[in-house]
Amino acid sequence: MLKYFTAVKLLVIIVTKVKVGINGYGTIGKRVAYAVSKQDDMELIGVTKTKPDFEAYRAKELGIPVYAASSEFLPRFEKAGFEVAGTLEDLLEKVDVIVDATPGGMGEKNKALYEKAGVKAIFQGGEKAEIAEASFVAQANYEQALGKNYVRVVSCNTTGLTRTLNAIKDYIDYVYAVMIRRAADPNDIKRGPVNAIKPSVEVPSHHGPDVQTVIPINIETMAFVVPTTLMHVHSVMVELKKPLTREDVIDIFENTTRVLLFEKEKGFDSTAQLIEFARDLHREWNNLYEIGVWKESINVKGKRLFYIQAVHQESDVVPENVDAIRAMFELADKWESIKKTNKSLGILK
Ligand code: NAD
């Protein structure tokens, strides 16, 4: 009987639109809300806020129903005269899936609420892999999320590493990568200003094992935090198990979705120019959804491949959230979904 109702619900969703809620309207949440609103097979039902700040007012201006993240936050809204559409519990009653974009670790506590409400949930990279049935990067393992109730979109760094490494995975013997991480997001004043290079003394870092939750490759990583807010940079070294030339790698990356080659020759000297490129595209919040690989950095010496890439931490995971929704509701196959998402967000290839 339960199966029958699930099948009927799925059919209703397929002929209508998947109703999506966002819990946590911050850096990732607001971008995912925007991306969902651009899809013709999804409907943004509402977002949660803990307080009536400028982001809450902006959401309202955009016509997005704002819910209090919990009833304990209601007095804050009442005091400011900000009318909310209800609380998270009310939002959960109206949606098919909730995208949890609350600060790392909070999703684990929220999961019980989602289970109780019987809604599917997507978690972000700040949560442990065990929270979900699958860790997800669309181009690498879309199929693993098909029909699932709980999916984790991996972190910005893991998404970045996975996109390029997945493209060359048949050639990989072992990967060694160093993550040079931005200290904070541009709007984040909790962790700055920073005037130091902070090594992660967790060696090897957790990024390698996190990539392994998506693709089964040998990988070890190390990480440093540096005083910048724009992007992360990865220095990647790959021991190859079969021959690959520089031209082969360029060709593979040129034909890999959500990966772009940038040339120093054309003025892409640093992460600053990559972000300027996104600004020139008039991308919302200067999102650079694609992973940027410096073309000149791609080099093969014997059995070793080297390359350097940049990751826009605020946005590379956004298309993955959209594709994860399609996979969980089996709305489209992998390439149909990726193409649809890319087109709707102006992703270049
Ligand atoms: P953020 O701090 O920018 O946003 C989190 C939002 O959740 C804020 O609006 C905050 O007010 C709200 N919030 C706080 N407590 C809440 C509660 N109890 N209920 C509902 N909402 C609450 O964080 P973020 O950077 O968007 O990160 C969200 C998740 O995405 C984390 O798991 C993080 O690891 C992951 N992630 C972040 C980045 C990044 O670089 N910012 C990149 C990829 C993945």
Side-chain angles (χ1 to χ4, degrees):
M1 200 63 172
L2 193 66
K3 264 194 178 149
Y4 171 76
F5 281 123
T6 311
V8 170
K9 196 173 173 198
L10 207 60
L11 195 68
V12 170
I13 287 163
I14 289 165
V15 293
T16 54
K17 288 180 179 188
V18 176
K19 295 185 171 57
V20 184
I22 311 279
N23 188 22
Y25 193 66
T27 306
I28 300 300
K30 65 175 134 176
R31 287 170 173 79
V32 175
Y34 168 82
V36 165
S37 75
K38 293 276 156 199
Q39 309 308 311
D40 62 12
D41 48 0
M42 298 173 198
E43 188 184 351
L44 179 64
I45 301 298
V47 303
T48 72
K49 284 291 303 173
T50 57
K51 53 183 181 296
D53 61 5
F54 70 95
E55 289 173 323
Y57 281 98
R58 180 66 187 141
K60 210 169 219 199
E61 266 170 36
L62 292 169
I64 304 171
V66 177
Y67 292 73
S70 136
S71 52
E72 74 183 86
F73 300 124
L74 279 173
R76 293 181 182 174
F77 292 94
E78 281 159 11
K79 197 173 159 211
F82 186 108
E83 207 173 310
V84 289
T87 63
L88 172 64
E89 279 80 0
D90 299 315
L91 177 61
L92 290 174
E93 276 176 24
K94 296 180 189 156
V95 300
D96 303 308
V97 60
I98 188 90
V99 177
D100 186 298
T102 57
M106 213 166 256
E108 199 183 333
K109 294 178 199 121
N110 293 336
K111 191 177 175 187
L113 288 175
Y114 308 153
E115 282 172 330
K116 193 170 153 217
V119 300
K120 293 186 186 236
I122 295 178
F123 299 96
Q124 308 303 313
E127 306 302 324
K128 295 194 181 109
E130 298 74 47
I131 198 168
E133 298 156 278
S135 287
F136 184 82
V137 175
Q139 63 210 82
N141 70 340
Y142 185 91
E143 291 80 5
Q144 282 179 24
L146 284 172
K148 294 287 191 293
N149 289 328
Y150 303 108
V151 169
R152 180 182 71 123
V153 168
V154 293
S155 75
C156 44
N157 278 306
T158 305
T159 300
L161 282 171
T162 304
R163 288 218 189 121
T164 50
L165 292 173
N166 182 63
I168 53 166
K169 68 174 183 301
D170 294 343
Y171 298 88
I172 293 175
D173 183 14
Y174 224 108
V175 178
Y176 304 94
V178 178
M179 250 71 29
I180 300 150
R181 299 175 49 206
R182 61 90 183 94
D185 287 337
N187 74 342
D188 190 356
I189 53 167
K190 288 193 295 284
R191 292 185 264 187
V194 177
N195 180 22
I197 297 173
K198 185 181 167 203
S200 165
V201 289
E202 171 208 29
V203 176
S205 72
H206 66 277
H207 304 94
D210 208 32
V211 170
Q212 289 166 333
T213 65
V214 186
I215 42 170
I217 55 168
N218 297 317
I219 176 168
E220 307 288 5
T221 51
M222 292 170 82
F224 297 82
V225 172
V226 297
T228 179
T229 62
L230 298 178
M231 298 182 87
H232 301 300
V233 166
H234 298 165
S235 172
V236 185
M237 289 150 274
V238 183
E239 277 177 3
L240 300 166
K241 68 178 175 201
K242 46 184 185 172
L244 196 60
T245 66
R246 173 172 194 266
E247 289 66 36
D248 293 334
V249 181
I250 289 172
D251 192 49
I252 291 171
F253 286 167
E254 270 175 351
N255 288 294
T256 300
T257 188
R258 299 177 184 170
V259 171
L260 293 177
L261 295 183
F262 288 94
E263 292 174 55
K264 183 172 160 45
E265 178 96 319
K266 291 195 178 144
F268 292 107
D269 290 311
S270 72
T271 51
Q273 286 75 39
L274 266 62
I275 290 297
E276 190 64 10
F277 173 77
R279 288 194 186 107
D280 287 351
L281 290 177
H282 298 177
R283 287 270 180 90
E284 51 290 338
W285 297 283
N286 58 251
N287 287 344
L288 190 59
Y289 302 110
E290 303 89 340
I291 304 306
V293 179
W294 273 280
K295 191 170 178 181
E296 290 91 340
S297 77
I298 302 172
N299 266 304
V300 176
K301 280 227 161 197
K303 289 172 78 176
R304 295 197 176 97
L305 159 69
F306 303 84
Y307 64 92
I308 299 171
Q309 65 179 25
V311 172
H312 186 224
Q313 75 280 354
E314 298 175 281
S315 70
D316 70 327
V317 299
V318 171
E320 309 301 332
N321 277 271
V322 172
D323 289 328
I325 294 172
R326 281 209 191 87
M328 292 163 82
F329 289 91
E330 301 181 67
L331 298 180
D333 67 24
K334 172 174 162 175
W335 288 110
E336 199 188 330
S337 179
I338 289 176
K339 279 185 193 153
K340 209 173 160 87
T341 308
N342 286 0
K343 192 164 175 223
S344 66
L345 297 178
I347 291 175
L348 295 175
K349 70 170 177 65

